[in-house]
Amino acid sequence: MSDPIISFDKVNKWYGNNFHVLRDIDLQVGRGERIVVCGPSGSGKSTLIRCINRLEEHQQGRLIVDGVEMADDVKVVDAVRKKVGMVFQQFNLFPHLTVLENLTLSPIWVNKMPKKEAQEKAMQQLERVRIAEQAHKYPLQLSGGQQQRVAIARALCLTPKIMLFDEPTSALDPEMIKEVLDVMIELAGQGITMVCVTHEMGFAKAVADSVVFMDEGQIVERSNPHDFFNTPQTERSRDFLAKILGH
Amino acid sequence: MSATSFQPIAARPAPTDSRSLPAWLRRNLFGDWKTAGSTIVLGALLLWFVPQFLNWSLLQAVWAPDLKACRAAEGVGACWGVVAEKFRLIIFGRYPFGEQWRPLVATALMLAMLVASCTRPLWKPWLAVLWVVVLAVFFVLMYGNTLGLTKVETDRWGGLPLTILLATLSILMAFPIALAVALGRRSDLPAIRVFCTLYVELIRGVPLISVLFMASFMFPLFMPQGLTIDVLIRVLVGMTLFAAAYLAEVIRGGLQAIPKGQIEAAATLGLSYWQIQRKIVLPQALAMVVPSIVNSFISIFKDTSLVSIVSLYDLTGALDMAINADANWKPFKLQGYLFIALIYFIFCFSMSRYSQWVEKQVNKSKGR
């Protein structure tokens, strides 16, 4: 890969003294590439993507995001966070602000955008996720699927180069998963770099350029979705696939 | 098995008889023998007490400041005459009699400002400026020594104006300190964390009375010769620091209830630490602890009555002074206390009602 936008180079991380959560991670993500990270719970996949926007700090190795090496420096962290949007499993919308205020908060306070302009851009993003008519409601008045679409729109308001998704559909009712996945698939068609932790194998098959399989803090396998699902390379990934596709 | 078609059931209204008066009585007061028993016992107590109290306090009461009539009614009716007689001493304490229009105007102004500050349309930056102006006017009116007003030393301030001044100022000053301390106790910097914890634990470890004693009697011993700080200011600082420690713990409780995800989401949006606190954490945390904050405010308001032990005559102190000094009226002290109890109640109850309104406002975003 000539010019990766995200590059992990022998990255290690521990929780406390004993829990070695990321072990010698080497991973390159190209510009515009769409990656799905999967693996059993506790395998370190959330931690991996949370390192990309410094919600977690790694202790060893190098992590470069869009040409900036991650370091314990407020300026570096701020610069990276402006380029990286994130969507969480629990939505994490701000319940005391309306949907529109959730979206305009960062453009107004971080990018110093005039309020009017911020609101117009926010409405565009809400239309993009097909929820513009809810702009003046409070998050808790919306369904889970609607909340997650608002969360996606909020992350897009900063026009990020990279979008991180941390199990975006795991907290949703089955009926709502599709509306969120539809938005994500649409987004995937627009050239933004995406790193998704998800167990939605349908999504992986439909849009991912490659699938990264993790177990016990290591990257076990990385291949394109077709190969991963049809001819998994390791026994560990075969087991995992059998479990999640088995029913 | 053949597929049956879906038959929607139309919505029906709830059974209505649960809302009629007999049904309500049965459910709430006479539901089972335990409920019925306690209803009867409590009802009997009320029937025994309320008429007697009304008789004593209203029907047989003496309203005029007439000592003879009061003595005659002793044991039968209340002597509200004592309030009529000592009214200005109770309300204004030792403030010079001829100048008492000044505390009256100052207090009215302060109360108007307090009420105004409670209304939403006025929550604008200039409200803070107005507060500074109002406090300045309050002090000029009370202290005088300028604009042709005679000087009145702070040790002669007293009664309701002093109570309101102490409560308002210590609440106004304690709140920002409490915010800072609450945030400080959760800081990543150990020095700040330790300092804030130490402050809270030290202050909470002593009663307010001893803080006031230290402020008024011990503190001057450590001051360099010739330099004195007014006792009112020392007491204010003591009360503020005391109130801030309790308030800080209340606010910290709210801070701890904010899910970590909120802070992470705000951080990924590029907000700085202070922006996160101001825009995301504090609005939610404070909204959650409104009842406890108002609880603290009410405590502070009532705690002002302790300043009488360091020779400041607030409402309670002024009543003591007014009645103890006059052997004739001393037997009717109880009525005096009931009177100021009513004043305290009006203030505390207003605060509690206001807190309910604020809760309603902040709960609007909770939806449903």
Side-chain angles (χ1 to χ4, degrees):
Chain A
M1 206 170 297
S2 58
D3 179 25
I5 191 165
I6 302 167
S7 162
F8 285 83
D9 181 12
K10 287 262 173 295
V11 167
N12 280 282
K13 173 171 179 64
W14 290 260
Y15 285 134
N17 289 326
N18 297 319
F19 186 24
H20 195 173
V21 61
L22 294 181
R23 305 180 190 178
D24 294 342
I25 298 291
D26 282 310
L27 177 68
Q28 268 79 40
V29 182
R31 280 176 201 278
E33 202 178 358
R34 291 148 308 199
I35 299 235
V36 162
V37 182
C38 61
S41 64
S43 59
K45 49 197 195 308
S46 277
T47 309
L48 176 85
I49 73 164
R50 287 160 61 89
C51 282
I52 298 171
N53 63 356
R54 199 73 174 174
L55 284 183
E56 303 287 354
E57 292 170 24
H58 62 280
Q59 283 130 333
Q60 276 178 6
R62 281 158 56 104
L63 170 55
I64 298 170
V65 177
D66 197 30
V68 182
E69 176 161 4
M70 215 44 104
D72 199 5
D73 175 344
V74 182
K75 278 187 192 144
V76 168
V77 176
D78 279 352
V80 167
R81 282 181 181 165
K82 280 185 187 172
K83 297 175 190 170
V84 182
M86 186 162 195
V87 175
F88 299 85
Q89 182 177 355
Q90 301 295 342
F91 328 137
N92 292 342
L93 294 176
F94 307 128
H96 61 303
L97 301 177
T98 63
V99 165
L100 191 61
E101 286 165 343
N102 263 277
L103 267 70
T104 56
L105 183 75
S106 180
I108 290 174
W109 290 92
V110 179
N111 293 351
K112 311 288 175 210
M113 192 185 280
K115 195 173 169 189
K116 210 60 200 263
E117 190 187 339
Q119 286 178 340
E120 279 163 20
K121 295 216 160 148
M123 287 310 292
Q124 288 169 14
Q125 297 299 345
L126 286 176
E127 268 154 37
R128 197 167 165 186
V129 301
R130 294 184 289 277
I131 204 163
E133 72 283 0
Q134 313 281 9
H136 298 286
K137 285 198 179 163
Y138 286 98
L140 296 184
Q141 294 168 321
L142 307 183
S143 72
Q146 291 174 322
Q147 289 189 52
Q148 193 60 299
R149 284 187 281 145
V150 171
I152 293 172
R154 180 175 71 179
L156 290 174
C157 274
L158 288 175
T159 50
K161 293 182 174 176
I162 302 168
M163 279 288 277
L164 306 176
F165 292 84
D166 191 359
E167 306 207 26
T169 56
S170 301
L172 295 175
D173 290 342
E175 286 188 60
M176 292 167 184
I177 291 178
K178 187 175 176 297
E179 64 186 58
V180 171
L181 287 182
D182 284 348
V183 166
M184 288 170 64
I185 288 168
E186 210 171 291
L187 202 60
Q190 293 166 0
I192 198 167
T193 308
M194 288 170 79
V195 182
C196 311
V197 171
T198 183
H199 292 144
E200 292 298 329
M201 292 303 131
F203 174 77
K205 281 178 196 161
V207 305
D209 296 308
S210 59
V211 175
V212 169
F213 175 67
M214 287 185 75
D215 192 22
E216 293 182 22
Q218 282 173 268
I219 292 180
V220 178
E221 181 173 344
R222 175 181 183 169
S223 38
N224 69 53
H226 182 267
D227 293 349
F228 180 72
F229 290 111
N230 295 313
T231 53
Q233 301 295 301
T234 63
E235 201 171 320
R236 198 62 203 85
S237 33
R238 267 195 294 273
D239 269 5
F240 177 73
L241 282 172
K243 269 179 202 144
I244 64 166
L245 300 175
H247 53 79
Chain B
M1 210 168 74
S2 67
T4 51
S5 63
F6 170 65
Q7 292 287 333
I9 298 173
R12 292 189 296 264
T16 46
D17 74 308
S18 65
R19 268 175 250 145
S20 71
L21 184 65
W24 184 89
L25 283 177
R26 192 161 347 116
R27 199 176 54 239
N28 292 297
L29 297 179
F30 299 98
D32 54 53
W33 66 268
K34 272 192 222 156
T35 322
S38 45
T39 300
I40 290 165
V41 169
L42 289 174
L45 273 174
L46 281 176
L47 275 179
W48 173 74
F49 177 75
V50 171
Q52 283 193 71
F53 181 77
L54 288 179
N55 191 40
W56 177 82
S57 64
L58 297 175
L59 298 178
Q60 307 279 336
V62 177
W63 299 87
D66 177 347
L67 196 54
K68 258 195 204 132
C70 273
R71 288 222 171 107
E74 221 176 329
V76 184
C79 168
W80 300 117
V82 65
V83 175
E85 170 76 17
K86 302 288 180 190
F87 184 74
R88 291 188 47 177
L89 253 181
I90 297 172
I91 295 293
F92 295 116
R94 297 197 301 152
Y95 205 87
F97 195 81
E99 300 286 329
Q100 287 180 357
W101 63 272
R102 283 157 56 182
L104 179 67
V105 173
T107 308
L109 193 65
M110 183 91 106
L111 286 177
M113 189 63 199
L114 281 169
V115 171
S117 305
C118 289
T119 55
R120 188 161 216 166
L122 298 182
W123 293 344
K124 300 272 159 57
W126 51 258
L127 193 67
V129 181
L130 199 59
W131 262 108
V132 174
V133 173
V134 165
L135 287 173
V137 171
F138 187 94
F139 272 95
V140 169
L141 270 173
M142 292 291 285
Y143 191 71
N145 205 16
T146 176
L147 301 171
L149 299 170
T150 49
K151 182 167 159 183
V152 179
E153 292 287 355
T154 53
D155 59 356
R156 302 208 56 181
W157 299 12
L160 191 58
L162 183 64
T163 294
I164 289 175
L165 176 74
L166 286 171
T168 309
L169 277 187
S170 43
I171 286 172
L172 280 182
M173 296 190 302
F175 195 73
I177 298 175
L179 275 182
V181 171
L183 290 173
R185 283 198 73 172
R186 291 160 50 89
S187 166
D188 289 335
L189 307 169
I192 293 181
R193 207 168 50 231
V194 168
F195 175 79
C196 291
T197 311
L198 218 59
Y199 163 72
V200 169
E201 295 303 341
L202 275 180
I203 297 277
R204 281 204 303 188
V206 292
L208 178 57
I209 279 206
S210 51
V211 173
L212 293 176
F213 261 115
M214 273 192 268
S216 80
F217 302 125
M218 269 178 68
F219 185 71
L221 301 178
F222 301 113
M223 293 296 287
Q225 200 110 61
L227 185 65
T228 55
I229 297 176
D230 192 287
V231 65
L232 182 62
I233 294 176
R234 279 182 275 137
V235 162
L236 252 176
V237 170
M239 288 198 62
T240 301
L241 293 179
F242 187 82
Y246 281 87
L247 211 45
E249 285 299 279
V250 167
I251 294 173
R252 192 166 69 94
L255 293 178
Q256 275 174 340
I258 303 299
K260 208 169 149 232
Q262 290 285 306
I263 296 162
E264 286 180 350
T268 58
L269 290 171
L271 272 70
S272 69
Y273 172 83
W274 289 110
Q275 285 172 331
I276 294 174
Q277 303 306 323
R278 196 173 136 217
K279 294 279 158 192
I280 305 302
V281 175
L282 285 176
Q284 295 185 64
L286 293 179
M288 237 178 290
V289 293
V290 166
S292 312
I293 289 179
V294 175
N295 204 14
S296 292
F297 285 1
I298 289 176
S299 276
I300 298 170
F301 184 79
K302 291 187 297 186
D303 281 350
T304 55
S305 58
L306 287 172
V307 298
S308 52
I309 63 133
V310 294
S311 318
L312 287 173
Y313 296 95
D314 74 304
L315 192 55
T316 312
L319 174 80
D320 267 337
M321 190 183 57
I323 294 186
N324 286 342
D326 189 337
N328 287 331
W329 290 100
K330 213 172 167 180
F332 307 107
K333 204 170 172 178
L334 172 68
Q335 284 85 335
Y337 273 114
L338 285 175
F339 171 65
I340 64 164
L342 181 68
I343 296 180
Y344 280 110
F345 178 79
I346 289 170
F347 278 96
C348 296
F349 188 64
S350 314
M351 283 193 254
S352 128
R353 297 303 300 184
Y354 180 64
S355 134
Q356 285 178 15
W357 178 79
V358 172
E359 270 178 71
K360 234 184 236 160
Q361 298 292 308
V362 298
N363 281 338
K364 277 188 180 158
S365 67
K366 298 243 165 76
R368 283 166 232 252

